[in-house]
Structure formats: structure tokens, C-alpha cells
């Protein structure tokens, strides 16, 4: 995060976020649903013949902000323009389906199917706002 004040009333700032992602985890341990009878949380898949997993890839985004303040009848009024996800990064999530381990010609082989999808997030999003200090 960086901020630069050109004057006490005018500043510009940037925020860059980076997350390293996650290792593979079973979906049943990630997605829990509430049991309507016991009110407890249970895995989405109680029993499933294949192991389903998910992995978040490294994630990053950049946000920019410009703000200015004015004095109006003894009250400080500020305005700002902010842009989220400036370079419109499309972050992904990887789903892994483990079919099982098989022996082929005396060698153990694990069959996995990988599918990469787009993670839900805000796209490039500009917005403006006003602040009032009294």
C-alpha cells in the first residue's frame, strides 16, 4: 500500500494485494452445509466414491485512489475516485477429481482430472464518493 500527499488536501494512493493461493483440499472439508434438524455443519458430500478437491491459484489485484478535500463554510468536504482491480485480473480456482490409484505394468498410476475455472470476484470497478468532516 502506498499513499502520496501532494498537499494536505490532495492525495493519490495505490494498494496491491497478493495471496499465494492454497494447497489442494477436499471440497467436502471446504464446503459445509447446515443440517436443518441438528443445526450442525456437515460436509457437502458425506460419501462419494471419488475424491474431489479444490486449489486456489496465486491471486493478485491493484486498486488506485485519488482524493481531494475542500473547505466549504467551515466544513471540510472531500471527494474521491477509486478504481478496484485496475488491470481486470481474472483469478482462477482449480478443481481436482481423483479417480483412484491403479497398477499398470507393475507401476502405480494415479488418475486425476484437473479443471480450471474463473473465481468469482469484482471486475474492473470505478466508483466515486464524497466525505464530510464536521
Amino acid at each position: 500500500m502506498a499513499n502520496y500527499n501532494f498537499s494536505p488536501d490532495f492525495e493519490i494512493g495505490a494498494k496491491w494485494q497478493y495471496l499465494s493461493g492454497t494447497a489442494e483440499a477436499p471440497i467436502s472439508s471446504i464446503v459445509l452445509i447446515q443440517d436443518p434438524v441438528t443445526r450442525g455443519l456437515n460436509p457437502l458430500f458425506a460419501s462419494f466414491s471419488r475424491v474431489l478437491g479444490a486449489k486456489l491459484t496465486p491471486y493478485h489485484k491493484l486498486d488506485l485512489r485519488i482524493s481531494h478535500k475542500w473547505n466549504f463554510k467551515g466544513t471540510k468536504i472531500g471527494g474521491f475516485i477509486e478504481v478496484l482491480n485496475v488491470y481486470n485480473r481474472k483469478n482462477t480456482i482449480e478443481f481436482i477429481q481423483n479417480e483412484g490409484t491403479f497398477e499398470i505394468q507393475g507401476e502405480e498410476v494415479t488418475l486425476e482430472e484437473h479443471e480450471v475455472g474463473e473465481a468469482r470476484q469484482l471486475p474492473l470497478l470505478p466508483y466515486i464518493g464524497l466525505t464530510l468532516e464536521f
Side-chain angles (χ1 to χ4, degrees):
M1 180 177 215
N3 250 4
Y4 184 76
N5 293 330
F6 290 98
S7 70
D9 294 332
F10 180 66
E11 70 179 4
I12 188 167
K15 178 172 66 171
W16 188 69
Q17 286 181 298
Y18 177 82
L19 296 154
S20 62
T22 63
E24 182 183 346
I27 288 180
S28 61
S29 67
I30 297 171
V31 181
L32 299 173
I33 58 170
Q34 189 169 19
D35 185 320
V37 176
T38 65
R39 298 282 187 205
L41 293 174
N42 296 316
L44 182 60
F45 304 110
S47 62
F48 203 78
S49 60
R50 298 180 213 159
V51 176
L52 297 174
K55 179 169 73 171
L56 294 173
T57 56
Y59 164 87
H60 54 90
K61 74 172 190 153
L62 175 67
D63 302 334
L64 294 178
R65 178 184 173 106
I66 297 173
S67 66
H68 192 276
K69 293 179 182 173
W70 299 271
N71 282 320
F72 180 73
K73 295 183 180 180
T75 304
K76 210 156 216 187
I77 297 174
F80 65 88
I81 298 173
E82 190 159 353
V83 181
L84 300 179
N85 199 9
V86 171
Y87 49 86
N88 203 18
R89 166 89 175 161
K90 304 278 191 257
N91 294 295
T92 60
I93 183 170
E94 183 177 356
F95 296 100
I96 300 128
Q97 182 172 311
N98 187 336
E99 302 283 343
T101 304
F102 303 95
E103 190 172 319
I104 300 175
Q105 296 177 349
E107 191 175 321
E108 278 195 15
V109 177
T110 301
L111 296 177
E112 288 185 343
E113 182 181 330
H114 295 254
E115 182 181 330
V116 177
E118 197 174 294
R120 290 187 177 186
Q121 66 189 35
L122 290 173
L124 172 82
L125 180 66
Y127 65 96
I128 61 172
L130 294 173
T131 59
L132 180 64
E133 293 179 24
F134 52 93

